[in-house]
Amino acid sequence: AVSKENALSTRSVEEKLAELIRDEDKQSPLSDADLVDKLRAVGVGCARRTVSKYRSKLCIAPSARRRKWLPRG
């Protein structure tokens, strides 16, 4: 079973992860490893596989699929 405290911290990490992805440069999205570094910078320690799991749980695509290309010209 998941404790309330653990569930709360999971939710807060998911929210911070979603915020980082929402605010990222869409032409150069953050990889899971980059997201780990950003989370550690704000005091949230977790592994890349954890970021990947939370990102998938939030229905957020990997960085290669989030990239927005600019038209040439």
Side-chain angles (χ1 to χ4, degrees), residues 4-62:
K4 280 186 178 182
E5 187 174 306
N6 192 24
L8 180 60
S9 63
T10 297
R11 173 156 295 213
S12 64
V13 172
E14 289 173 351
E15 288 172 359
K16 185 61 179 173
L17 181 63
E19 176 186 327
L20 288 169
I21 292 171
R22 184 184 66 237
D23 296 342
E24 73 187 355
D25 177 0
K26 301 306 180 201
Q27 295 172 18
S28 182
L30 298 166
S31 69
D32 289 346
D34 294 334
L35 290 165
V36 167
D37 292 340
K38 296 271 188 184
L39 288 169
R40 286 188 178 150
V42 295
V44 178
C46 63
R48 186 211 48 84
R49 66 182 175 270
T50 305
V51 167
S52 178
K53 179 176 85 171
Y54 289 169
R55 182 182 44 71
S56 294
K57 182 179 172 186
L58 295 168
C59 299
I60 298 172

